[in-house]
């Protein structure tokens, strides 16, 4: 089975190709997804002497993350899916981050900088989600971590987030992932394969999952509110 997995939720491109010959996985930091994603996919396939039509399964993350970047990867793989009849599954990005670095039995907090002094946060224990993904800050995690003696913090922005959380929970032993960016491709392959086997491909209408309104939506709401006040 030939499986291609992509994550573009942040400024780092995570790309993986699994075939009977094994796994090829790469990360490119500060990547311009809109300009280079298709080229990198083609290069990776050519390294295995494959074409897009030779793929059996497509996997991408569906969010949360950068609005534009999430749309780029999902739109690209949807194009492959529709043109070549290849099934596509999208998986939760914060869960992938948590699965890439966790300790059995401990709560794992996955963390991505959401800008505007906020973070996208996901809490997991042994792969099971504890609470829905959040657009928040350290204060939002306190009710879920107060009873814990030890917790794991991972994700591309874990180091920046750790002092905020530790200040609120000084007695919590916080194990912070020391890797600035941890490979996700192999995790996406595993998650996507399992999801496809249990639930089948995504519905054609599945799009990125946003837990925050875009700037354009916020501006529209503000205009509507001002109009209602007149």
């Amino acid at each position: 089975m030939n499986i291609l997995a992509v994550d573009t939720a942040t400024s780092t491109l995570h790309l993986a190709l699994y075939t009977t010959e094994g796994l090829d996985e790469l990360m490119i930091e500060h990547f311009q997804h809109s300009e280079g994603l298709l080229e990198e996919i083609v290069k990776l396939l050519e390294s295995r002497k494959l074409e897009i039509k030779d793929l059996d399964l497509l996997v991408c993350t569906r969010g949360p993350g950068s609005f534009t970047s999430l749309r780029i990867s999902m739109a690209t793989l949807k194009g492959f899916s529709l043109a070549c009849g290849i099934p596509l599954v999208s998986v939760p990005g914060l869960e992938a981050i948590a699965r890439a670095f966790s300790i059995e039995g401990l709560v794992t907090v996955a963390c991505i900088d959401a800008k505007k002094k906020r973070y996208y946060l996901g809490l997991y224990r042994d792969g099971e989600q504890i609470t829905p993904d959040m657009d928040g800050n350290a204060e939002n995690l306190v009710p879920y971590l107060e009873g814990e003696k030890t917790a794991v913090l991972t994700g591309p922005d874990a180091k920046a987030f750790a002092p905020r959380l530790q200040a609120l929970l000084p007695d919590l032993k916080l194990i912070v992932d020391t890797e600035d960016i941890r490979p996700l491709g192999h995790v996406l392959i595993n998650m996507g394969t399992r999801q496809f086997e249990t639930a089948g491909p995504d519905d054609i209408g599945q799009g990125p999952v946003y837990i925050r309104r875009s700037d354009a939506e916020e501006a529209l709401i503000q205009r509507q509110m001002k109009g209602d006040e007149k």
Side-chain angles (χ1 to χ4, degrees):
M1 193 173 191
N2 299 325
I3 307 171
L4 178 73
V6 182
D7 172 61
T8 58
T10 68
S11 61
T12 298
L13 170 65
H14 294 267
L15 188 61
L17 175 64
Y18 176 80
T19 71
T20 54
E21 298 178 7
L23 175 70
D24 284 334
E25 185 170 7
L26 63 86
M27 300 186 306
I28 306 177
E29 297 182 51
H30 309 296
F31 189 73
Q32 296 296 320
H33 303 300
S34 60
E35 298 176 7
L37 177 58
L38 185 57
E39 179 182 355
E40 290 298 330
I41 290 174
V42 171
K43 283 165 55 177
L44 184 58
L45 290 172
E46 288 179 342
S47 71
R48 289 289 184 91
K49 295 182 172 56
L50 295 174
E51 299 179 18
I52 292 168
K53 64 181 178 60
D54 297 318
L55 295 169
D56 301 299
L57 181 64
L58 303 166
V59 183
C60 69
T61 52
R62 59 175 176 257
S66 165
F67 288 29
T68 301
S69 295
L70 286 170
R71 287 196 294 269
I72 289 168
S73 58
M74 185 168 280
T76 299
L77 295 197
K78 274 197 174 189
F80 296 166
S81 176
L82 292 170
C84 302
I86 307 166
L88 165 66
V89 294
S90 58
V91 299
L94 288 174
E95 181 180 340
I97 290 172
R99 288 182 177 276
F101 183 79
S102 61
I103 298 174
E104 185 177 357
L106 298 183
V107 173
T108 297
V109 179
C111 168
I112 298 175
D113 187 355
K115 311 304 180 185
K116 300 182 179 180
K117 299 181 180 181
R118 296 175 71 83
Y119 291 80
Y120 294 129
L121 303 166
L123 278 76
Y124 299 84
R125 192 194 304 269
D126 297 333
E128 296 298 321
Q129 191 169 26
I130 296 172
T131 182
D133 294 341
M134 304 177 189
D135 170 16
N137 221 311
E139 291 82 1
N140 300 101
L141 300 181
V142 171
Y144 303 98
L145 297 176
E146 279 182 317
E148 303 293 330
K149 294 182 178 179
T150 308
V152 176
L153 180 61
T154 186
D157 301 290
K159 290 181 181 178
F161 186 73
R164 304 164 186 251
L165 185 58
Q166 196 71 82
L168 294 173
L169 295 167
D171 295 328
L172 177 69
K173 181 181 178 182
L174 196 58
I175 301 173
V176 182
D177 190 354
T178 57
E179 294 287 335
D180 291 327
I181 302 174
R182 190 170 287 276
L184 296 179
H186 63 290
V187 179
L188 299 178
I189 295 286
N190 291 334
M191 290 176 64
T193 301
R194 184 171 61 251
Q195 182 169 312
F196 178 64
E197 291 174 347
T198 57
D202 277 13
D203 182 88
I204 189 63
Q206 174 68 57
V209 174
Y210 305 131
I211 56 176
R212 169 192 291 180
R213 288 191 290 261
S214 69
D215 290 342
E217 289 173 313
E218 289 288 356
L220 176 61
I221 291 171
Q222 291 298 319
R223 289 198 298 271
Q224 291 173 336
M225 290 175 62
K226 289 180 180 178
D228 291 340
E229 292 172 357
K230 294 179 180 179

